[in-house]
């Protein structure tokens, strides 16, 4: 078990089970009916406190910090676990304000002592039963709706046939053809699926150069396959639907896949394909589509993709287009606090926030503009972009100087946090990534970013990192005062980030060693999320309980984070197991996701023959295949000092620390690099297209 984790094993169970346990335990220990009645009253009080305790914007700001210190002081007051229950009851009765947190504290203690409780199993079973019943109800409703829809579509089709028999016949033929293709490809791939071995441990061995090259070529072929499908069926649109063989616009109609793929095509040496895509950007990219686009997605995929293409090739048109798109996004910053809104219509430039989170701005969304806007300002000489993006981080730094981990939602009107939820997965993730990457891209000199990142990592480690009974380390979530033992695949970016921070000197010495160890442990968990599934593909998230790891949401979107972690870990340790794991993941994509026109996400990773979701996410080309390619390339394919990958894996050029400082820093690095072999990369080597050296050096 990690010395840096909170080391609670098994993980704490969800509150629903433990509250009843608490009542039982209080009754059992105090041994009197009066104590049972009092405990029940307190429980009711606690529940009504929970129900009525709505925290306002203004009070929420320091939420996490305050809660943690309250919980710590309770632990101190109560004299540790095992102190008299009567005193604790007294304590509970006295402090109405702290009641909720004290209840939680007692529950936590009780859970640890009573980890094998049958009651929890029963409650768990009951919950599952309710879910099942709900599921059956939903299925019955769906069947009813399905029958109604089928009847409607039969009527429509008869009307269509009567009105226009020849068009109907043509349409029928097209549909038959498409369905036939789909069935053929499903059959073809399910054949591979059924012969897919049931997850053997991959052999960890040093591969010959020829074998590494063979694997690299297979990954390049996968890139070409996904690109060709996109070119053929979805040209100019955001994403390919590889099963129905058409395109769709999900990100503002700016050709997200086209732009996301640019630098991967270039790195892999597919210059003709790159050329066609670049020409589309030059002469056809529409800037005026009236579509509510995500500010975050547009920045990381479109602006980031074009900035990377500019940095790699020097093509000025890429920079111009990146600036044009960024200019259309800037009105999102027109708020009283200058915290940007999440959504913008690129044609009307009207910005707004969604209603589902009370019109708050989201941490990962406003906290993931900085790297692109910094690079854009540097490349254009216009400081506006960098200043605006940095302003939001300064706001957090000034308002919460002692806090590392930040809640997910902030009001763009008051500048205060609006909820106590914390996550390193969805809605929070890349805010933390960009604290580190801003420090890197600015030449490792801006202490604000580095210290905010270090504080965040330390708080994450102290409060949210757990190890399950089966020995899997994970990062949990936090909601109000409850720890949720849920681990998104998205969180698998954390190990890569920790390793990069330790490698680049953002933290030093023993702390760097701890970060590196945690990175290794988390990468192992991410690998297990693939390895334990019948399909060999990870679900979207897992949960941890006393029973161990369990699938949360079963779908797989072809996400890159686990491969990102494997690449960073390979690159910084040269441990062959990371290449073995990555190759196994790639083979699972080949077996289950490859269809005639590209690669599709799947709906359930537990199925032996998974059903495709008919979407080839643009990040599959930008990130997933790029990390795989880098995993099987020489270190010289990517110089980690000169380039930083944005959150969509688009390489942007860093500002180099001054020569002497760099020299000094390198010497320091060499001295403390005792847990991994010295980097094999040649200093000064640029980002080259094709690790076989076939491409030109992009500088
Ligand atoms: C990508 O668009 C980016 O990596 C983003 O930061 C989060 N997730 C997706 C891929 O999973």
């Amino acid at each position: 078990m990690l010395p840096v984790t909170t080391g609670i094993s098994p993980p704490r169970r969800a509150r629903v089970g433990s509250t009843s346990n608490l009542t039982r335990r209080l009754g059992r220990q105090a041994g009197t009916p009066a104590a049972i009645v009092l405990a029940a009253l307190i429980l009711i009080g606690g529940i009504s406190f929970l129900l009525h305790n709505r925290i306002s914007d203004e009070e929420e700001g320091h939420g996490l910090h305050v809660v943690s210190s309250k919980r710590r002081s309770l632990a101190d007051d109560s004299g540790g676990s095992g102190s008299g229950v009567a005193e604790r009851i007294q304590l509970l009765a006295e402090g109405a304000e702290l009641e909720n947190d004290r209840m939680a504290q007692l529950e936590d203690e009780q859970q640890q002592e009573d980890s094998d409780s049958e009651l929890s199993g029963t409650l768990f079973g009951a919950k599952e039963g309710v879910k099942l019943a709900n599921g059956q109800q939903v299925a019955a409703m769906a069947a009813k709706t399905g029958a109604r829809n089928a009847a409607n579509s039969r009527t429509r089709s008869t009307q269509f046939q009567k009105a226009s028999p020849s068009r109907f016949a043509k349409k029928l033929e097209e549909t038959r053809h498409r369905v036939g293709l789909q069935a053929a490809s499903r059959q073809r791939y399910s054949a591979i699926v059924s012969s897919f071995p049931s997850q053997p441990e991959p052999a960890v061995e040093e591969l010959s150069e020829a074998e590494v090259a063979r694997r690299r070529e297979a990954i390049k072929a996968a890139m070409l396959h996904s690109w060709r499908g996109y070119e053929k069926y979805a040209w100019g649109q955001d994403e390919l639907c590889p099963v129905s063989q058409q395109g769709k616009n999900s990100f503002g109609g700016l050709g997200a896949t086209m732009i996301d793929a640019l630098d991967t095509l270039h790195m892999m040496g597919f210059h003709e394909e790159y050329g066609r895509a670049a020409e589309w950007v030059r002469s056809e990219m529409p800037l005026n589509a009236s579509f509510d686009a995500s500010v975050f997605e547009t920045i990381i995929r479109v602006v980031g993709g074009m900035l990377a293409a500019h940095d790699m090739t020097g093509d000025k048109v890429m920079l111009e287009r990146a600036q044009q798109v960024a200019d259309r996004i800037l009105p999102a910053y027109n708020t009283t606090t200058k915290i940007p809104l999440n959504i913008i219509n690129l044609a009307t430039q009207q910005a707004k926030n969604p209603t589902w989170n009370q019109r708050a701005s989201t941490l990962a969304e406003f906290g993931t503009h900085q790297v692109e806007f910094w690079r854009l300002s540097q490349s254009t000489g216009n400081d506006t972009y960098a200043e605006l993006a940095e302003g939001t981080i300064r706001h957090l730094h000034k308002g919460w100087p002692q806090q590392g981990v930040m809640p997910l939602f902030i009001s763009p009107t008051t500048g205060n946090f609006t909820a106590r939820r914390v996550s390193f997965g969805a809605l929070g993730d890349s805010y933390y990534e960009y604290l580190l990457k801003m420090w890197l891209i600015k030449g490792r000199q801006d202490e604000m970013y580095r210290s905010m990142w270090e504080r965040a990592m330390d708080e994450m480690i102290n409060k949210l990192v757990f190890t399950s009974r089966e020995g899997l380390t994970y990062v949990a979530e936090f909601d109000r005062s409850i720890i949720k033992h849920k681990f998104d695949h998205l969180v698998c970016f954390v190990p890569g980030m920790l390793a990069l921070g330790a490698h680049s000197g953002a933290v030093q010495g023993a702390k760097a060693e701890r970060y590196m160890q945690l990175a290794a442990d988390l990468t192992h968990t991410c690998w297990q999320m693939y390895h334990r599934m019948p399909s060999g593909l990870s679900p979207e998230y897992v949960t941890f309980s006393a029973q161990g790891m369990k699938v949360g949401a079963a779908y797989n979107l072809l996400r890159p984070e686990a491969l990102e972690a494997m690449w960073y870990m390979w690159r910084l340790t040269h441990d062959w197991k990371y290449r073995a794991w990555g190759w196994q993941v790639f083979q699972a994509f080949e077996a289950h996701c490859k269809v005639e026109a590209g690669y599709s996400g799947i709906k359930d990773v537990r199925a032996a023959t998974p059903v495709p979701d008919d979407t080839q996410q643009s990040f599959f080309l930008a990130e997933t295949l790029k990390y795989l390619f880098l995993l099987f390339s020489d270190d010289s394919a990517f110089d980690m000092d000169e380039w930083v990958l944005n959150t969509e894996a688009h390489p942007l050029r860093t500002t180099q620390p001054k020569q002497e400082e760099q020299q000094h820093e390198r010497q320091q690095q060499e001295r403390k690099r005792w847990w991994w072999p010295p980097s094999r990369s040649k200093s000064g080597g640029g980002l080259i297209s094709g690790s076989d050296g076939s491409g030109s050096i992009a500088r």
Side-chain angles (χ1 to χ4, degrees):
M1 189 185 295
L2 260 183
V4 288
T5 65
T6 49
I8 294 173
S9 177
R12 296 163 187 189
R13 288 192 300 275
R15 214 169 246 223
V16 59
S18 55
T19 307
S20 308
N21 274 350
L22 174 70
T23 318
R24 252 172 34 136
R25 177 175 173 256
L26 287 174
R28 193 175 63 228
Q29 290 202 4
T32 67
I36 295 170
V37 170
L38 185 52
L41 283 174
I42 291 163
L43 182 61
I44 292 164
I47 290 167
S48 67
F49 178 83
L50 271 175
L51 289 174
H52 293 106
N53 185 23
R54 286 263 170 272
I55 297 169
S56 70
D57 276 6
E58 283 69 27
E59 290 164 342
E60 274 292 287
H62 293 277
L64 178 72
H65 196 68
V66 172
V67 168
S68 306
S69 52
K70 270 186 202 167
R71 294 182 70 160
R72 205 170 301 123
S73 69
L74 174 67
D76 298 338
D77 288 346
S78 64
S81 66
S83 76
V85 171
E87 280 102 340
R88 282 194 249 181
I89 291 172
Q90 187 57 34
L91 262 177
L92 281 170
E94 276 169 15
E97 203 204 337
L98 290 176
E99 195 164 356
N100 181 30
D101 293 320
R102 284 175 172 161
M103 290 287 284
Q105 175 69 29
L106 279 176
E107 283 175 35
D108 288 348
E109 290 175 18
Q110 193 273 336
Q111 281 171 10
Q112 281 174 61
E113 285 174 24
D114 202 10
S115 62
D116 289 322
S117 156
E118 284 165 28
L119 184 61
S120 129
T122 317
L123 280 168
F124 181 76
K127 248 172 64 185
E128 293 294 292
V130 170
K131 266 199 238 156
L132 206 67
N134 286 343
Q136 280 161 357
Q137 214 175 343
V138 170
M141 279 160 61
K144 229 164 134 187
T145 318
R148 208 176 34 240
N149 288 347
N152 288 344
S153 95
R154 260 197 307 276
T155 319
R156 272 201 309 273
S157 127
T158 320
Q159 284 164 355
F160 179 32
Q161 189 175 12
K162 274 192 194 141
S164 173
S166 61
R167 274 183 59 215
F168 177 80
K170 194 162 166 251
K171 194 89 201 151
L172 192 66
E173 192 44 45
E174 278 171 18
T175 312
R176 276 200 185 122
H177 181 64
R178 207 172 52 226
V179 171
L181 279 180
Q182 288 166 13
S185 55
R186 258 201 301 272
Q187 219 176 19
R188 195 164 132 218
Y189 292 105
S190 54
I192 301 175
V193 169
S194 47
S195 66
F196 194 69
S198 60
Q199 303 311 307
E201 271 298 328
V204 176
E205 58 189 3
E206 194 164 332
L207 303 172
S208 66
E209 270 188 32
E211 178 56 17
V212 171
R214 187 187 73 77
R215 293 183 180 193
R216 191 167 57 240
E217 287 310 310
I219 293 158
K220 285 169 69 176
M223 178 69 189
L224 216 48
H225 183 69
S226 17
W227 173 255
R228 291 212 169 118
Y230 173 76
E231 261 198 310
K232 189 162 175 196
Y233 298 109
W235 181 254
Q237 298 189 62
D238 283 333
E239 286 174 324
L240 167 71
C241 306
V243 178
S244 55
Q245 302 183 343
Q246 56 188 333
K248 66 176 171 187
N249 283 327
S250 345
F251 299 106
L254 292 171
T257 297
M258 184 90 74
I259 298 168
D260 252 355
L262 281 170
D263 49 27
T264 313
L265 289 171
H266 193 270
M267 278 170 100
M268 291 183 175
F270 295 129
H271 297 302
E272 276 177 27
E273 289 74 8
Y274 174 88
R276 287 198 290 277
E279 187 48 43
W280 181 88
V281 171
R282 185 170 293 115
S283 53
E284 286 179 63
M285 189 171 111
L287 289 171
N288 247 335
S290 184
F291 188 100
D292 281 348
S294 153
V295 171
F296 159 79
E297 299 288 3
T298 310
I299 290 178
I300 66 168
R301 298 183 199 223
V302 179
V303 176
M306 291 189 292
L307 285 175
H310 171 249
D311 271 358
M312 288 169 74
T313 65
D315 181 352
K316 285 270 176 261
V317 174
M318 292 293 164
L319 180 60
E320 278 165 28
R321 287 280 177 276
Q323 188 171 17
Q324 285 164 353
V325 174
D327 285 344
R328 284 176 180 270
I329 288 172
L330 289 187
Y333 278 88
N334 288 341
T335 61
T336 45
T337 57
K338 292 268 179 286
I339 291 169
L341 302 170
N342 291 355
I343 299 165
I344 191 150
N345 183 306
L346 294 172
T348 65
Q349 294 181 41
Q350 294 288 322
K352 64 180 180 193
N353 267 350
T355 46
W356 62 265
N357 63 359
Q358 288 79 48
R359 300 203 182 279
S361 295
T362 311
L363 185 66
E365 306 218 5
F366 69 78
T368 315
H369 302 178
Q370 291 68 26
V371 166
E372 293 80 2
F373 275 12
W374 163 261
R375 189 69 198 128
L376 183 59
S377 282
Q378 276 219 316
S379 307
T380 58
N382 178 346
D383 290 339
T384 310
Y385 313 101
E387 278 166 12
L388 279 172
E390 194 154 285
T392 57
I393 305 299
R394 294 205 178 284
H395 172 81
L396 298 184
H397 186 246
K398 195 162 160 232
W400 296 272
Q402 297 310 320
Q403 194 163 319
V405 167
M406 299 286 174
L408 293 181
F409 304 115
I410 199 163
S411 158
T413 318
T414 67
N416 289 317
F417 289 112
T418 62
R420 281 183 182 177
R421 264 180 73 191
V422 166
S423 170
F424 278 78
L427 309 174
D429 48 8
S430 41
Y431 158 73
Y432 302 101
E433 179 184 350
Y434 272 28
L435 293 178
L436 175 67
K437 290 187 173 173
M438 276 304 281
W439 179 71
L440 288 170
I441 203 169
K442 289 181 86 174
R444 305 180 190 189
Q445 282 155 354
D446 193 327
E447 182 54 17
M448 175 185 80
Y449 286 106
R450 198 209 59 77
S451 63
M452 286 177 85
W453 181 73
E454 183 180 2
R455 236 187 334 270
M457 292 306 100
D458 288 348
E459 263 181 39
M460 174 191 82
I461 289 167
N462 290 330
K463 294 174 182 167
L464 295 174
V465 172
F466 292 82
T467 300
S468 74
R469 175 172 277 175
E470 68 221 296
L472 297 178
T473 300
Y474 60 95
V475 185
E477 296 188 355
F478 177 92
D479 195 355
R480 297 182 66 128
S481 54
I482 298 174
I483 298 282
K484 292 190 165 173
H485 297 273
K486 168 176 179 270
F487 186 66
D488 286 352
H489 184 278
L490 286 166
V491 186
C492 292
F493 88 97
V494 169
M497 171 181 68
L498 286 167
L500 179 63
H503 159 80
S504 59
V507 286
Q508 318 245 341
K511 186 176 268 194
E513 186 197 349
R514 283 204 303 275
Y515 281 22
M516 204 62 196
Q517 179 60 54
L518 177 57
D521 292 344
L522 288 171
T523 308
H524 176 251
T525 303
C526 295
W527 155 240
Q528 287 297 311
M529 287 165 71
Y530 286 79
H531 188 56
R532 292 181 180 202
M533 301 303 139
S535 60
L537 289 168
S538 168
E540 176 70 0
Y541 73 85
V542 292
T543 56
F544 288 94
S545 68
Q547 284 83 21
M549 187 171 92
K550 198 170 154 242
V551 172
Y555 59 90
N556 179 294
L557 300 180
L558 308 168
R559 285 197 191 279
E561 292 78 14
L563 290 164
E564 175 180 358
M566 290 170 201
W567 171 61
Y568 276 110
M569 293 306 289
W570 158 255
R571 182 60 195 271
L572 299 174
T573 66
H574 287 127
D575 183 333
W576 283 87
K577 76 177 173 214
Y578 297 115
R579 277 187 161 172
W581 294 352
W583 184 244
Q584 196 109 338
V585 172
F586 176 66
Q587 283 182 309
F589 283 136
E590 289 291 286
H592 302 298
C593 304
K594 191 173 183 182
V595 292
E596 193 177 291
Y599 288 80
S600 168
I602 58 168
K603 291 185 177 168
D604 193 335
V605 296
R606 296 162 302 187
T609 52
V611 176
D613 70 4
D614 199 17
T615 300
Q616 177 176 281
Q617 302 277 344
S618 74
F619 52 66
F620 183 64
L621 293 87
E623 298 188 72
T624 312
L625 292 172
K626 188 183 285 140
Y627 286 123
L628 272 164
F629 173 73
L630 289 173
L631 185 60
F632 288 93
S633 296
D634 291 346
D635 288 358
S636 58
F638 187 81
D639 186 325
M640 286 176 119
D641 292 330
E642 272 191 53
W643 299 87
V644 70
L645 292 166
N646 87 337
T647 191
E648 192 79 358
H650 295 308
L652 300 175
R653 198 178 279 286
T654 60
T655 304
Q656 294 289 298
K658 286 190 207 88
Q659 208 71 46
E660 338 59 273
E661 280 166 2
Q662 214 181 344
Q663 179 90 17
H664 174 71
E665 199 178 303
R666 283 231 168 88
Q667 286 163 356
Q668 296 281 91
Q669 291 291 326
E670 287 309 323
R671 245 175 260 141
K672 66 183 180 58
R673 234 182 228 168
W674 42 270
W675 68 84
W676 68 78
S679 163
R680 284 197 221 141
S681 70
K682 291 175 208 117
S683 77
L687 183 74
I688 61 166
S689 46
S691 61
D692 53 359
S694 59
S696 59
I697 293 176
R699 285 185 168 257

